[in-house]
Amino acid sequence: GLLFWLAAVVIGYFAARHLTGPMQRFVQATESISQGDFKVTLPRSSPVLELERFSGALAVMVRAIEARELALRDSEKKFRDLFERALEGIFVCDRQGVLDNVNPALLDMLGYADKEELLARNLFRDIFTTPEAAARFQETLQDQLILQGYELPLRCRDGTEIVVSLS
């Protein structure tokens, strides 16, 4: 009886290891994929048909995700080029006026040499000339959702004011 029990344990150990090995490799592969490494090698041959099918489906998914990631990177690069080279001043901010990004044309318009210095300012508090102008802008934007040709004065770095048309 002890010999049969020992044989069963040994056979069970090797069978479990034979079956869990591919699963461990799948886990490692999916972790690599989730971190952006699309050049992983997926386990192919498996004694379990479902794992073989899973491997094929995962390979298709990896190729699709990689293609989308490359397209997204290309799109972001095109956007970045347009943003940086635009002749018009462009800013991105949140509803509280915290600037997230500005382009070089806006820096020039407002007299800032350093992007970080302008990003440290608040659009509504520091760049708009009055709190009323900021409130009116926010109300108009909230009502219309899209602005076109909205004129208002902005404060430059040196304190002078310029009238701009926001769209």
Side-chain angles (χ1 to χ4, degrees):
L2 181 61
L3 187 58
F4 285 116
W5 178 82
L6 187 57
V9 168
V10 169
I11 291 170
Y13 171 78
F14 285 110
R17 202 166 149 92
H18 185 68
L19 292 175
T20 60
M23 286 305 294
Q24 289 173 348
R25 288 191 295 279
F26 276 121
V27 169
Q28 290 169 345
T30 55
E31 286 173 353
S32 293
I33 293 165
S34 72
Q35 295 171 0
D37 178 13
F38 301 110
K39 304 296 182 210
V40 296
T41 303
L42 298 173
R44 286 310 247 162
S45 60
S46 173
V48 180
L49 181 61
E50 287 81 5
L51 289 180
E52 187 71 30
R53 289 182 180 164
F54 177 68
S55 180
L58 188 59
V60 169
M61 287 172 43
V62 167
R63 286 192 300 273
I65 292 169
E66 182 178 26
R68 287 184 188 136
E69 180 77 17
L70 290 173
L72 182 62
R73 287 180 188 165
D74 185 50
S75 176
E76 197 277 334
K77 183 185 180 315
K78 288 176 184 175
F79 169 78
R80 176 72 40 214
D81 287 345
L82 285 172
F83 183 82
E84 294 294 327
R85 294 178 185 193
L87 299 176
E88 298 83 12
I90 302 173
F91 64 86
V92 178
C93 74
D94 65 13
R95 291 181 181 267
Q96 287 72 41
V98 175
L99 291 165
D100 182 50
N101 203 353
V102 296
N103 73 341
L106 186 68
L107 292 174
D108 290 342
M109 286 174 54
L110 297 177
Y112 287 85
D114 181 46
K115 183 177 183 176
E116 299 308 316
E117 183 183 3
L118 182 54
L119 290 177
R121 306 267 189 255
N122 182 283
L123 180 68
F124 302 142
R125 186 185 63 239
D126 304 321
I127 307 300
F128 280 36
T129 55
T130 65
E132 295 78 28
R136 203 169 46 253
F137 170 78
Q138 289 173 302
E139 288 170 12
T140 304
L141 187 58
Q142 189 171 14
D143 291 344
Q144 297 179 11
L145 298 179
I146 295 175
L147 293 179
Q148 227 170 356
Y150 184 86
E151 291 190 0
L152 76 155
L154 296 182
R155 185 176 300 112
C156 295
R157 183 177 187 271
D158 64 4
T160 61
E161 294 180 9
I162 59 169
V163 176
V164 299
S165 177
L166 293 178
S167 294

